Amino acid sequence: MASFRDRSIVSIRDMSLDDLKKIVQTTEKVKKGELEGFLKGRTVATLFFEPSTRTRLSFESAVFKSGGSVFGIANPSASSQSKGESFADSIRTVSGYCDVMVIRHPVEGAARMASELIDIPVINAGDGANQHPTQTFLDLFTINEQFGRMNDLRIGMMGDLKYGRTVHSLTHALAMFGNELTFISPPTLRMPGQILQELDGLHIPYTTMENLEDARNSALDILYVTRIQKERFGDPQEYEKVAGTYRLTRETIGLLGEELRIMHPLPRVDEIAEEVDTTSNAIYFIQAHNGIPTRQALLGLVTGGLE
Ligand code: NCD
């Protein structure tokens, strides 16, 4: 396994199975309180050029909890890019102020570009519709916490599989571990062909369908629900055609089985009814809270504060 020290975390495609296991194992130790204070003397910058609640705030909380310092921008209009400064100039400048940079940007490839421009590690907190690797780490940790394993599960993903970066990263990771996948989406929001080809190459069994009811006989262990990514539609009318396509209720869960666990990267719009929140199936708030130990562990590993 390659060391994490000084490594940028841009895409799940750059990672080995051992890397993913290492992050999950380290997160377990952090969550149990076995590792503390490992970011002391380290400074993290969070540069968010797109809206965020969980990702940015859990990164920032993770830094404080592990004894480090954090600063950043939460709103691009508050940075000099609004004066016409290039992304590259901003990144080069801020790299002199911190030890790790966490970046979210609407352009696919932005985090990769940043990682090639500067010498400190860059963590991709979401680049357009492409990748969201740290969400995948916390998703994997949550799956392992719930099932005691990350392989040999039947996992459905429902919603916007075209523009949803969380499901792109997660699909790749679940394929590496060996799981059976079911993709539920409107025809216009299917999982990109390139990702399906990767699954074929890895001999991962998958099924695609349009209606959640068709998954009745799939014996799903997990249903991972996603929001339709309104901001990524070029044409608002195209969004209106698919908005509100899916809505998970207590009744639909009944169809899919009592043991089903429901995950969601959040934010939710209307794809899960609030009545679902109080069922034992709903684990999305546990999942969101696992963002803290996961991001603590990751920052510890890339700064060398943890081995
Ligand atoms: C996701 C994202 O930003 O991709 N949110 C998150 O980080 N938890 C999902 C979304 O916005 O729908």
Side-chain angles (χ1 to χ4, degrees):
M1 178 179 41
S3 161
F4 275 96
R5 192 169 185 154
D6 296 331
R7 213 169 125 186
S8 287
I9 305 294
V10 173
S11 167
I12 298 292
R13 289 197 182 84
D14 304 335
M15 313 202 74
S16 68
L17 199 56
D18 281 344
D19 288 338
L20 297 176
K21 288 182 188 161
K22 172 82 181 174
I23 291 172
V24 171
Q25 283 158 5
T26 310
T27 304
E28 241 157 38
K29 290 186 194 150
V30 171
K31 191 166 176 178
K32 280 189 200 146
E34 289 171 16
L35 304 167
E36 286 181 335
F38 48 83
L39 292 179
K40 193 163 184 295
R42 263 77 173 204
T43 304
V44 178
T46 54
L47 304 188
F48 279 61
F49 300 98
E50 257 193 355
S52 171
T53 301
R54 275 147 291 271
T55 306
R56 186 173 61 81
L57 298 181
S58 69
F59 259 113
E60 296 187 357
S61 172
V63 176
F64 288 126
K65 282 178 187 281
S66 307
S69 315
V70 59
F71 69 92
I73 47 170
N75 177 354
S77 63
S79 81
S80 282
Q81 285 195 30
S82 65
K83 299 184 195 165
E85 184 173 52
S86 71
F87 175 67
D89 281 0
S90 302
I91 296 300
R92 280 201 195 94
T93 305
V94 178
S95 74
Y97 305 160
C98 57
D99 303 302
V100 184
M101 201 183 285
V102 181
I103 301 179
R104 170 171 286 189
H105 199 281
V107 174
E108 296 188 17
R112 175 80 67 203
M113 177 184 164
S115 73
E116 287 165 1
L117 284 170
I118 59 179
D119 294 330
I120 59 166
V122 170
I123 298 179
N124 183 5
D127 62 322
N130 186 31
Q131 284 269 319
H132 194 345
T134 67
Q135 178 71 43
T136 292
F137 303 152
L138 76 90
D139 293 343
L140 288 174
F141 175 77
T142 305
I143 291 171
N144 195 48
E145 193 175 51
Q146 295 279 326
F147 291 89
R149 65 183 196 277
M150 292 173 277
N151 65 322
D152 206 16
L153 292 163
R154 294 199 177 97
I155 302 165
M157 296 189 194
M158 180 173 85
D160 187 345
L161 308 184
K162 179 179 181 186
Y163 296 118
R165 55 193 172 199
T166 62
V167 283
H168 297 162
S169 291
L170 184 60
T171 297
H172 194 83
L174 292 173
M176 286 164 75
F177 279 97
N179 289 285
E180 203 176 310
L181 303 173
T182 300
F183 299 125
I184 307 152
S185 74
T188 50
L189 297 180
R190 285 203 184 119
M191 190 58 86
Q194 190 206 350
I195 295 179
L196 297 180
Q197 279 163 21
E198 281 172 10
L199 296 179
D200 291 334
L202 292 164
H203 305 291
I204 295 297
Y206 66 83
T207 317
T208 55
M209 54 183 71
E210 263 178 61
N211 299 311
L212 181 58
E213 290 71 24
D214 296 339
R216 202 180 296 141
N217 300 320
S218 305
L220 295 178
D221 297 299
I222 298 169
L223 181 65
Y224 192 101
V225 185
T226 66
R227 171 181 72 91
I228 309 236
Q229 310 278 297
K230 184 178 184 184
E231 67 277 26
R232 310 234 184 269
F233 283 69
D235 177 353
Q237 281 183 342
E238 288 303 310
Y239 170 73
E240 290 307 328
K241 281 187 200 159
V242 286
T245 308
Y246 300 111
R247 184 165 169 85
L248 193 66
T249 59
R250 279 180 180 243
E251 195 184 332
T252 21
I253 297 171
L255 281 179
L256 296 170
E258 294 303 312
E259 297 298 311
L260 179 75
R261 309 289 212 291
I262 298 155
M263 298 178 72
H264 193 309
L266 303 176
R268 140 179 72 182
V269 182
D270 52 10
E271 56 281 352
I272 301 180
E274 280 181 23
E275 64 177 22
V276 173
D277 299 359
T278 47
T279 64
S280 56
N281 310 86
I283 60 167
Y284 29 89
F285 289 109
I286 299 172
Q287 179 189 356
H289 292 154
N290 281 336
I292 302 279
T294 307
R295 292 179 168 121
Q296 284 179 280
L298 182 67
L299 289 168
L301 290 169
V302 301
T303 54
L306 292 176
E307 295 241 316

